[in-house]
């Protein structure tokens, strides 16, 4: 049996203006073929300032807004997310996130999701970070 090696798919950096992760040396997302892979999107505004300190719902809404921007800039959308990983510092916030998931990801079939409690995120005031894989149609 022989295996024919396919050329590597081009990786295209997804950014925004301003690019809130540029100073960290990472991409907001990377598009490969018809998929967009996002970095974990945090509860920060376009200048990198944390929003909603101490308020999980406000932070989650900001992280989802950032996720939407990155996906859109990569040619995808929240409606095209097939897999999401949600990192939280308090698993008890799951009910609040379930409400937001229903608002932001109402399409069926439902996305695949992991909801994971972590001891901390990159900044101590962050309560949530969301990464996703979205289809490009």
């Amino acid at each position: 049996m022989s295996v024919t090696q396919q050329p590597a798919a081009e990786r295209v950096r997804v950014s925004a203006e301003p690019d809130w992760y540029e100073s960290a040396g990472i991409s907001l997302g990377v598009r490969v073929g018809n998929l967009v892979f996002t970095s974990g999107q945090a509860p920060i505004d376009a200048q990198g300032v944390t929003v909603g300190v101490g308020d999980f719902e406000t932070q989650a809404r900001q992280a989802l807004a950032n996720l939407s921007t990155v996906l859109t800039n990569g040619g995808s959308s929240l409606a095209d997310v097939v897999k999401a990983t949600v990192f939280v510092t308090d698993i008890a916030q799951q009910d609040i996130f379930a409400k937001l998931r229903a608002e932001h990801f109402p399409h069926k079939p439902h996305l695949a999701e992991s909801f994971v409690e972590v001891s901390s995120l990159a900044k101590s005031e962050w309560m949530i970070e969301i990464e996703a894989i979205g289809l490009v149609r």
Side-chain angles (χ1 to χ4, degrees):
M1 175 200 302
S2 68
V3 176
T4 305
Q5 191 141 29
Q6 298 293 322
E10 181 181 9
R11 296 183 324 163
V12 178
R13 182 175 187 271
V14 177
S15 63
E17 189 57 45
D19 187 327
W20 50 90
Y21 281 177
E22 178 64 31
S23 64
I26 61 175
S27 296
L28 290 171
V30 176
R31 179 174 169 170
V32 180
N34 69 336
L35 296 174
V36 175
F37 300 84
T38 73
S39 291
Q41 297 303 306
I44 57 176
D45 64 18
Q47 288 69 46
V49 176
T50 302
V51 301
V53 175
D55 181 342
F56 180 82
E57 185 169 344
T58 297
Q59 288 201 0
R61 287 187 183 282
Q62 182 66 49
L64 286 161
N66 292 347
L67 183 65
S68 179
T69 296
V70 175
L71 289 164
T72 299
N73 289 358
S76 187
S77 71
L78 289 177
D80 295 311
V81 169
V82 294
K83 171 70 169 100
T85 305
V86 182
F87 302 97
V88 297
T89 57
D90 181 3
I91 201 78
Q93 303 300 331
Q94 192 166 11
D95 289 344
I96 294 172
F97 193 77
K99 177 184 81 165
L100 297 175
R101 181 190 316 107
E103 285 178 26
H104 290 83
F105 302 102
H107 304 87
K108 291 187 179 180
H110 296 299
L111 68 136
E113 178 187 273
S114 299
F115 193 85
V116 182
E117 182 179 55
V118 296
S119 60
S120 65
L121 294 164
K123 293 199 176 189
S124 62
E125 64 268 19
W126 293 357
M127 303 170 79
I128 187 168
E129 188 171 324
I130 308 168
E131 64 183 28
I133 302 168
L135 292 172
V136 175
R137 295 181 190 247

Short mmCIF file of all heavy atoms in Angstrom, two decimals, residues 20 23 36 39 50 53-54 57 59 66 70 79 81 83 92 94 96 103-104 109 116 120-121:
data_model
loop_
_atom_site.label_atom_id
_atom_site.label_comp_id
_atom_site.label_asym_id
_atom_site.label_seq_id
_atom_site.Cartn_x
_atom_site.Cartn_y
_atom_site.Cartn_z
N TRP A 20 -6.49 42.26 19.82
CA TRP A 20 -6.27 42.27 21.26
C TRP A 20 -5.29 41.22 21.74
O TRP A 20 -4.90 41.23 22.90
CB TRP A 20 -7.59 42.19 22.03
CG TRP A 20 -8.53 41.10 21.62
CD1 TRP A 20 -8.58 39.83 22.13
CD2 TRP A 20 -9.56 41.17 20.65
NE1 TRP A 20 -9.57 39.11 21.53
CE2 TRP A 20 -10.21 39.91 20.61
CE3 TRP A 20 -10.02 42.18 19.80
CZ2 TRP A 20 -11.26 39.63 19.76
CZ3 TRP A 20 -11.08 41.89 18.95
CH2 TRP A 20 -11.69 40.64 18.94
N SER A 23 -0.11 41.52 21.12
CA SER A 23 0.98 41.75 22.08
C SER A 23 1.39 40.47 22.81
O SER A 23 2.50 40.37 23.32
CB SER A 23 0.61 42.84 23.09
OG SER A 23 -0.49 42.41 23.87
N VAL A 36 -12.16 27.25 11.06
CA VAL A 36 -11.53 28.33 11.82
C VAL A 36 -11.35 27.83 13.25
O VAL A 36 -12.31 27.39 13.88
CB VAL A 36 -12.39 29.61 11.83
CG1 VAL A 36 -11.77 30.68 12.73
CG2 VAL A 36 -12.58 30.14 10.42
N SER A 39 -8.36 31.00 19.27
CA SER A 39 -7.72 30.98 20.57
C SER A 39 -8.81 31.18 21.61
O SER A 39 -9.93 31.61 21.28
CB SER A 39 -6.70 32.12 20.68
OG SER A 39 -5.60 31.88 19.84
N THR A 50 -10.11 44.06 30.90
CA THR A 50 -11.11 43.13 31.40
C THR A 50 -12.42 43.85 31.68
O THR A 50 -12.43 44.92 32.29
CB THR A 50 -10.62 42.44 32.70
OG1 THR A 50 -9.39 41.76 32.42
CG2 THR A 50 -11.64 41.45 33.23
N VAL A 53 -15.60 42.72 35.89
CA VAL A 53 -14.88 42.05 36.97
C VAL A 53 -15.86 41.64 38.06
O VAL A 53 -16.66 42.44 38.54
CB VAL A 53 -13.77 42.97 37.54
CG1 VAL A 53 -13.10 42.32 38.75
CG2 VAL A 53 -12.74 43.27 36.46
N GLY A 54 -15.86 40.34 38.39
CA GLY A 54 -16.76 39.81 39.41
C GLY A 54 -18.16 39.45 38.92
O GLY A 54 -18.97 38.96 39.69
N GLU A 57 -21.85 36.69 34.12
CA GLU A 57 -22.66 36.84 32.90
C GLU A 57 -22.09 37.92 31.98
O GLU A 57 -22.02 37.72 30.77
CB GLU A 57 -24.12 37.13 33.23
CG GLU A 57 -24.97 37.16 31.97
CD GLU A 57 -26.46 37.17 32.23
OE1 GLU A 57 -26.89 36.87 33.36
OE2 GLU A 57 -27.20 37.47 31.27
N GLN A 59 -18.98 38.91 31.82
CA GLN A 59 -17.74 38.38 31.25
C GLN A 59 -18.03 37.35 30.15
O GLN A 59 -17.39 37.35 29.10
CB GLN A 59 -16.86 37.76 32.34
CG GLN A 59 -16.24 38.80 33.23
CD GLN A 59 -15.01 38.29 33.96
OE1 GLN A 59 -14.59 37.14 33.82
NE2 GLN A 59 -14.42 39.16 34.75
N ASN A 66 -16.45 38.42 21.57
CA ASN A 66 -15.11 38.31 20.98
C ASN A 66 -15.02 37.07 20.10
O ASN A 66 -14.45 37.12 19.01
CB ASN A 66 -14.05 38.26 22.08
CG ASN A 66 -13.91 39.57 22.82
OD1 ASN A 66 -14.43 40.60 22.40
ND2 ASN A 66 -13.23 39.53 23.95
N VAL A 70 -14.05 36.98 16.03
CA VAL A 70 -12.96 36.18 15.45
C VAL A 70 -13.49 35.21 14.40
O VAL A 70 -12.94 35.10 13.31
CB VAL A 70 -12.18 35.44 16.55
CG1 VAL A 70 -11.13 34.52 15.95
CG2 VAL A 70 -11.53 36.44 17.50
N ALA A 79 -23.12 30.50 14.41
CA ALA A 79 -24.04 29.49 13.89
C ALA A 79 -23.30 28.31 13.26
O ALA A 79 -23.88 27.23 13.11
CB ALA A 79 -24.99 30.11 12.86
N VAL A 81 -20.36 27.04 14.52
CA VAL A 81 -19.48 26.39 15.48
C VAL A 81 -19.88 24.92 15.61
O VAL A 81 -21.04 24.60 15.79
CB VAL A 81 -19.52 27.10 16.85
CG1 VAL A 81 -18.82 26.27 17.93
CG2 VAL A 81 -18.88 28.48 16.75
N LYS A 83 -17.61 22.81 17.60
CA LYS A 83 -17.02 22.38 18.87
C LYS A 83 -16.59 23.61 19.64
O LYS A 83 -15.98 24.52 19.09
CB LYS A 83 -15.80 21.48 18.61
CG LYS A 83 -14.96 21.14 19.84
CD LYS A 83 -15.70 20.21 20.80
CE LYS A 83 -14.79 19.66 21.88
NZ LYS A 83 -14.92 20.33 23.14
N ALA A 92 -20.12 26.25 39.20
CA ALA A 92 -21.48 26.61 39.60
C ALA A 92 -22.12 27.61 38.63
O ALA A 92 -23.32 27.84 38.67
CB ALA A 92 -21.49 27.18 41.02
N GLN A 94 -22.50 27.12 35.56
CA GLN A 94 -22.98 26.36 34.42
C GLN A 94 -24.40 26.72 34.00
O GLN A 94 -24.70 26.78 32.81
CB GLN A 94 -22.88 24.86 34.71
CG GLN A 94 -23.07 24.00 33.50
CD GLN A 94 -22.64 22.57 33.73
OE1 GLN A 94 -22.39 22.15 34.84
NE2 GLN A 94 -22.57 21.80 32.66
N ILE A 96 -25.92 29.64 34.29
CA ILE A 96 -25.89 30.93 33.58
C ILE A 96 -25.38 30.73 32.17
O ILE A 96 -25.93 31.26 31.20
CB ILE A 96 -25.01 31.96 34.34
CG1 ILE A 96 -25.66 32.32 35.67
CG2 ILE A 96 -24.79 33.21 33.49
CD1 ILE A 96 -24.79 33.16 36.58
N GLU A 103 -29.05 31.18 23.82
CA GLU A 103 -29.17 32.44 23.07
C GLU A 103 -28.23 32.48 21.87
O GLU A 103 -28.62 32.93 20.79
CB GLU A 103 -28.81 33.63 23.96
CG GLU A 103 -29.82 34.02 24.98
CD GLU A 103 -29.31 35.19 25.84
OE1 GLU A 103 -28.47 35.98 25.38
OE2 GLU A 103 -29.76 35.29 26.99
N HIS A 104 -26.99 32.08 22.07
CA HIS A 104 -25.95 32.26 21.06
C HIS A 104 -25.75 31.08 20.12
O HIS A 104 -25.21 31.24 19.03
CB HIS A 104 -24.62 32.59 21.74
CG HIS A 104 -24.60 33.94 22.36
ND1 HIS A 104 -25.12 34.19 23.62
CD2 HIS A 104 -24.16 35.13 21.89
CE1 HIS A 104 -24.98 35.48 23.89
NE2 HIS A 104 -24.40 36.06 22.86
N PRO A 109 -28.07 20.52 14.54
CA PRO A 109 -27.75 19.84 15.79
C PRO A 109 -26.92 20.76 16.69
O PRO A 109 -26.20 21.64 16.21
CB PRO A 109 -26.94 18.62 15.36
CG PRO A 109 -26.34 19.01 14.06
CD PRO A 109 -27.32 19.94 13.40
N VAL A 116 -15.40 23.12 31.40
CA VAL A 116 -14.34 22.68 32.30
C VAL A 116 -14.03 23.73 33.36
O VAL A 116 -13.81 24.90 33.03
CB VAL A 116 -13.05 22.41 31.49
CG1 VAL A 116 -11.93 21.90 32.37
CG2 VAL A 116 -13.32 21.46 30.33
N SER A 120 -7.45 28.63 37.57
CA SER A 120 -7.28 30.04 37.20
C SER A 120 -7.10 30.13 35.70
O SER A 120 -6.83 29.15 35.02
CB SER A 120 -6.08 30.65 37.92
OG SER A 120 -4.88 30.04 37.50
N LEU A 121 -7.26 31.36 35.20
CA LEU A 121 -7.03 31.66 33.80
C LEU A 121 -5.85 32.63 33.70
O LEU A 121 -5.22 32.93 34.71
CB LEU A 121 -8.31 32.23 33.18
CG LEU A 121 -9.46 31.21 33.11
CD1 LEU A 121 -10.80 31.88 32.87
CD2 LEU A 121 -9.18 30.18 32.02
#
